[in-house]
Amino acid sequence: MRATRPFASLALSALILTVLVAFWQIASSSGASQTGPVDAEYAALVGAAAAAGGQSPFPSPAEVGTRMLEHLADPFYVRGTNDQGIGIQLAYSLGRVLAGYALAALLAIPLGFAIGMSPLMYGALNPFIQVLRPISPLAWMPLALYTIRDSGASSIFVIFICSIWPMLLNTAFGVASVRREWLNVARTLECGRLRTALHVILPAAAPTIMTGMRISIGIAWLVIVAAEMLVGGTGIGYFVWNQWNNLSLADIITAILVIGIVGMTLDQALAVATRAVAYQD
Amino acid sequence: MRRPFVSVEGIARRFPATRGAPPQTVFEDVWFGIQEGEFVCLIGHSGCGKTTILNILAGLDRDYEGAVVVGGREIDGPSLDRAVIFQSHALLPWLTAEANIAFAIRSRHPGWGRARVAEACRSWIDLVGLTGAASKRPAQLSGGMKQRVGIARALAVEPKILLMDEPFSALDALTRGTLQEEVNRIVAETKLTAFMITHDVDEAILLADRILLMTNGPQAKIAEVVVNTLPRPRTRHDVHHLPGYYDLRNHIIDFLVDRSRRLARTMPPEWNPRRVPEVRPALAA
């Protein structure tokens, strides 16, 4: 890639954003909802849009912006189980993702070490991994709900099961491909198994392991939205589904943007961690 | 006869027959000894198993016949007493030069505190001329500097034997010469026992007390031991002016270009693997 001029690309980004928002503004204002004779009592009962028989209009950027500011101004309110601030919902989702992800890391990294260091373990566990890995994490949901009997814990389990594979496979690969010469150095220095594992294999494999962890957090954040739509109750996924039931598109668009920004932040945090353990050979 | 400090007794490396390929013997009947404080070089063409022999001495390769006895005990795996300087320097790239050396020091002295390790590090860094580069990572160092760290790391475990696998072959001629002198000086000062594999005839003549000549593989053997009678101390500047230098050099080169191949097919009937003939070509002058 050629050297980029940050200001030029920033300006272009701003231009693209302006054009997109402008199109959105024009499109949402032209498709005005049709007005007809409406029984006032019926409209009061079901809402003006539904009474008119048409769709509620797609919100304009200004409407979404206003809604977004409202959410940002008061993100942590609680007004009953079905009306909680977007910050609270995000905190629920992040809590589940981090819990499931941490559990997966606790299992995947030591197990990956074992698989990477022992061809026997690799041979024994490989068939299980190959069968379990392609299963959509949501397919586990009914089984989890049946056995765990708790929707929150079930979504944590689904995050666990989807984020374990990239970490497990990358750890195993990273550990198995540590250079023979570095292991020989450890052997000639009479390093024990633990010292070799912690001071030679772990730093050597760390960039590969971190890459697996970065892939995992991305998948976990994708899956939590779907899982929460399914189990309901709390979380950003449930928030999106709830606003769909309220036909509040402005809230949904706000949530979508927030999901994107949080996902990007998680990814960038792991990118920083990956750079911290990287080494130049 | 008393056993030498290092005694290599009839080692062989064989690969069993696989589908379509007959069994292979890389080298066999290899007997030699190294006296305490002696510097021995092994010269031979690629594929005769030189590196395998070094790895066996280091304890890294355990798939061999025969025995290696060091200080009266058969070796069983790697040991801090036998340090290795690797051809590819094999530094840990995520550690600084200093930390690479400290890693070795902590292997020998697990009980040492931070300050003591740092102090020992500094003295090794000064000894190999790395002052000022201690906090750099291997990727930021030149090839010669990297191998200096490799040398310091090997010395830092205070070994009895220094094993070197073509340590300078990846360096340019100028750097190689400087490092040869350094190794020559350090080994003389510390009175280490040293075993080096090399392709470089001049390097062997500069450094070694005895030079083992190996025939081509397969079934490589040590055909001859050349005793280096040139007086010490030798330096790169004057070694080629010493009387007998060219007789020594020509003898080794003749072996490498011609006899190593001829002898690989048939050894003379009087050749005894357990008592390989010693020659002193430099004395013929």
Side-chain angles (χ1 to χ4, degrees), chain B residues 91-103 121 125 130 133-138 140-141 145-146 148-150 152-153:
Chain B
L91 299 178
L92 305 179
W94 54 89
L95 296 180
T96 61
E98 189 175 11
N100 265 288
I101 299 167
F103 188 65
C121 257
I125 284 168
L130 275 171
S135 56
K136 288 190 173 160
R137 280 172 213 283
Q140 298 167 285
L141 297 174
M145 295 291 250
K146 280 185 218 168
R148 280 172 194 269
V149 182
R153 180 176 63 185

Side-chain angles (χ1 to χ4, degrees), chain B residues 12-41:
Chain B
R13 174 60 172 274
R14 296 180 217 280
F15 292 109
T18 48
R19 265 184 312 144
Q24 271 262 341
T25 299
V26 183
F27 57 84
E28 60 186 351
D29 252 340
V30 170
W31 297 72
F32 66 92
I34 307 171
Q35 301 296 341
E36 209 158 356
E38 195 181 21
F39 200 129
V40 171
C41 272

Side-chain angles (χ1 to χ4, degrees), chain B residues 2-7 33-38 69-73 81 160-161 193:
Chain B
R2 250 191 85 236
R3 244 190 191 137
F5 181 49
V6 178
S7 177
I34 307 171
Q35 301 296 341
E36 209 158 356
E38 195 181 21
V69 181
V70 175
R73 285 177 58 185
D81 289 338
K160 294 198 175 83
I161 305 167
T193 307

Side-chain angles (χ1 to χ4, degrees), chain A residues 166-254:
Chain A
M167 285 197 262
L168 183 67
L169 291 171
N170 267 45
T171 305
F173 176 74
V175 167
S177 43
V178 172
R179 291 247 209 100
R180 173 141 226 106
E181 55 181 356
W182 297 337
L183 296 174
N184 278 345
V185 166
R187 289 173 65 202
T188 56
L189 294 177
E190 288 191 43
C191 293
R193 284 179 83 85
L194 189 67
R195 189 160 180 245
T196 306
L198 291 181
H199 289 270
V200 179
I201 298 175
L202 184 61
T208 320
I209 297 174
M210 285 306 304
T211 306
M213 293 182 78
R214 195 173 164 190
I215 298 170
S216 277
I217 200 80
I219 294 176
W221 191 244
L222 289 180
V223 167
I224 193 66
V225 174
E228 285 169 347
M229 282 182 170
L230 208 57
V231 295
T234 47
I236 194 72
Y238 170 70
F239 178 85
V240 170
W241 197 249
N242 201 28
Q243 298 309 334
W244 166 237
N245 287 335
N246 292 342
L247 273 180
S248 172
L249 293 178
D251 283 302
I252 294 174
I253 294 165
T254 305

Side-chain angles (χ1 to χ4, degrees), chain A residues 37-84:
Chain A
V38 174
D39 180 11
E41 267 182 66
Y42 180 59
L45 201 63
V46 298
Q55 292 177 304
S56 56
F58 197 86
S60 71
E63 286 168 304
V64 172
T66 319
R67 196 78 194 98
M68 218 174 278
L69 286 178
E70 283 170 31
H71 276 299
L72 288 177
D74 185 15
F76 298 112
Y77 69 86
V78 179
R79 290 181 212 120
T81 47
N82 277 346
D83 191 9
Q84 303 187 26

